[in-house]
Amino acid sequence: MQGSASNTANNSHMDNSVIPTIDEANPKPFIDKKSYPEYYLSIPTPPKDKSLEFERDKKIYKETRRLKDTQVWNDARTFASYDPRDISRFYSKETGLNISKENTPWTYYLITRVFKDAKTGGTKSTKQHYQRVRPFVYYKERTCSTIEDDRDHVNSGSYPSAHSAYGNLVALILSEIVPSKQIEIINAGQKFGYYRVV
C-alpha cells in the first residue's frame, strides 16, 4: 500500500500497466460475501421505538435539518455518492495526495474495489436483519440528496450505514498508505460518516 501512494507513470518501482480493469459502477469485492461473519451478532442493536436512545436519535436528526443550505449540507449532498472519484477527491486534502485514476492508479483501484466489501460484505445482511426505517422516511421528508437517491433508499434499512462503513474503511486503508497523516485521515473518516447523518 505504501507504494500506491505515489505511483505515477514516472515511478520506476510500480508497473501501472498491470492494474486490473474494474467496473467502477459495480466493482468486484476483494472478499466473497459468504466469508464475512453475521455482523448483527457483534454490533449494538438499533434503538427501540420510544426508548431514550431513539429520542436522542430523533433530536440529532432534527438538529441536522437546521444545516440546510449550509456548506455542511452541500458537502453531505456531494458525498452521498459512491462514485470513487468523489471519495478520492474527499480524501485528497487530508492525505496530501491528488488521488485519481491518472495520478495514483493503484490507490484509486483499491478505493474502488473495497466499496463492495464495505457494502455487500460488511453491512447488507445486517441492514436486512434490522430493516431500520431511515429518518427521512420516518418523518416523510426529503434529504439533502437528489430525489432519485431518496427513492433508491426508501425501502432499504438505515443501520448500519454502508456509506459510513465505506468512508471509514477507505480512511483506515489510506492511513496505512500515508502514516504521517493518520490523525487527519481518521478524522476525515469521521466527518464522512457525519455527512451521512446529515
Side-chain angles (χ1 to χ4, degrees):
M1 288 191 292
Q2 292 276 345
S4 70
S6 58
N7 51 343
T8 63
N10 296 325
N11 196 328
S12 59
H13 70 276
M14 293 295 291
D15 184 358
N16 294 332
S17 67
V18 299
I19 298 173
T21 57
I22 187 169
D23 179 358
E24 293 186 21
N26 190 31
K28 182 180 178 183
F30 281 107
I31 302 172
D32 187 284
K33 63 181 180 181
K34 295 176 184 175
S35 301
Y36 283 92
E38 293 292 357
Y39 284 113
Y40 72 87
L41 297 173
S42 62
I43 65 173
T45 59
K48 290 184 170 59
D49 196 10
K50 298 182 181 178
S51 68
L52 289 175
E53 292 84 0
F54 189 68
E55 291 304 313
R56 185 188 66 174
D57 277 4
K58 291 196 288 186
K59 180 182 177 184
I60 291 169
Y61 174 80
K62 290 174 182 176
E63 286 172 353
T64 62
R65 300 310 89 191
R66 298 177 193 152
L67 295 169
K68 188 173 182 180
D69 298 325
T70 66
Q71 188 61 51
V72 172
W73 186 268
N74 294 332
D75 287 343
R77 177 190 302 115
T78 298
F79 298 113
S81 164
Y82 281 123
D83 191 316
R85 293 170 297 184
D86 289 330
I87 199 164
S88 294
R89 184 163 50 87
F90 176 80
Y91 281 108
S92 285
K93 179 181 177 183
E94 281 73 15
T95 58
L97 305 172
N98 183 11
I99 303 172
S100 68
K101 187 188 292 186
E102 296 73 28
N103 295 324
T104 57
W106 277 107
T107 302
Y108 185 85
Y109 171 81
L110 192 58
I111 286 172
T112 305
R113 276 290 301 270
V114 298
F115 160 61
K116 275 295 181 69
D117 291 284
K119 186 177 181 184
T120 306
T123 60
K124 188 173 183 180
S125 64
T126 305
K127 280 179 178 288
Q128 292 171 338
H129 178 78
Y130 288 120
Q131 280 298 311
R132 190 178 192 203
V133 175
R134 292 180 180 270
F136 82 95
V137 176
Y138 181 88
Y139 283 103
K140 298 179 175 61
E141 295 179 345
R142 287 286 320 285
T143 71
C144 63
S145 192
T146 64
I147 192 166
E148 291 79 14
D149 191 28
D150 285 359
R151 286 172 178 162
D152 286 345
H153 290 88
V154 165
N155 297 314
S156 67
S158 68
Y159 178 79
S161 167
H163 280 78
S164 298
Y166 177 44
N168 279 277
L169 177 56
V170 170
L172 289 170
I173 291 167
L174 292 174
S175 71
E176 294 289 332
I177 293 174
V178 192
S180 64
K181 299 277 190 176
Q182 282 187 348
I183 293 174
E184 294 91 337
I185 294 168
I186 296 302
N187 286 341
Q190 295 295 313
K191 182 191 286 186
F192 193 89
Y194 179 66
Y195 284 157
R196 201 55 187 168
V197 174
V198 174

